[in-house]
Amino acid sequence: MRFGAIGLYVNNIEVMVKFYRDVMGLNLDWDGSAFTAIEMEGQIHHFILCAREGFENSIPEISNWNKGINGNMELCFDVPNYSDVDKEFERVIKAGAKPVYKPTTEPYGMRVCYVADPEGNLIEICSGNDDISHIE
């Protein structure tokens, strides 16, 4: 087996498509339906957004969704340099992401921050590729 996709089941697919396309910069081509996917480079082949209502109708055993910030999973976006973490954090906050954890250089050497999408899914922006001596 190989890892093929990451999917998010969403309450408002229009809002979420706009967020991941316009704020996070993913190349989403959405036709207005209850589902969209984009091809990704590397080991994960697709990022999927699917309306929860349609999923619940096809699999009624699924009916308990997280509320608020979803700490059960995250989407992680790598950037080339430590300073890019700070720049992207500011950019996505200004564009509408919810701040969760400001850019911080962790003891294990990564520069990380967290934001949340409109439905509370955690998004990490990180880098491990820089000299940290000039960053607080």
Side-chain angles (χ1 to χ4, degrees):
M1 284 196 293
R2 66 180 185 160
F3 200 27
I6 292 175
L8 290 179
Y9 295 99
V10 302
N11 287 317
N12 188 324
I13 194 161
E14 182 176 1
V15 167
M16 297 296 278
V17 165
K18 287 178 181 176
F19 178 83
Y20 283 98
R21 183 189 60 215
D22 302 341
V23 176
M24 298 309 298
L26 298 180
N27 187 21
L28 283 165
D29 184 22
W30 181 52
D31 65 6
S33 69
F35 176 86
T36 189
I38 63 165
E39 284 192 43
M40 306 291 287
E41 294 180 20
Q43 294 296 315
I44 298 171
H45 296 279
H46 293 93
F47 174 65
I48 300 166
L49 295 176
C50 183
R52 287 181 180 177
E53 183 178 328
F55 186 69
E56 290 169 350
N57 289 338
S58 64
I59 303 177
E61 293 81 6
I62 307 295
S63 63
N64 187 12
W65 302 99
N66 289 315
K67 306 269 190 275
I69 300 293
N70 177 2
N72 291 330
M73 58 90 61
E74 72 174 52
L75 300 174
C76 181
F77 291 84
D78 293 328
V79 294
N81 299 299
Y82 282 165
S83 60
D84 296 328
V85 173
D86 299 69
K87 290 174 192 170
E88 285 301 305
F89 181 79
E90 292 301 319
R91 184 189 68 76
V92 300
I93 296 304
K94 287 178 185 171
K98 299 174 195 170
V100 174
Y101 184 70
K102 69 178 181 151
T104 303
T105 302
E106 298 295 341
Y108 48 85
M110 298 281 292
R111 182 95 174 145
V112 303
C113 67
Y114 284 90
V115 299
D117 70 21
E119 293 190 9
N121 296 295
L122 281 177
I123 299 168
E124 178 183 17
I125 301 169
C126 68
S127 180
N129 302 318
D130 213 347
D131 173 11
I132 63 171
S133 62
H134 65 283
I135 297 176
E136 54 180 73

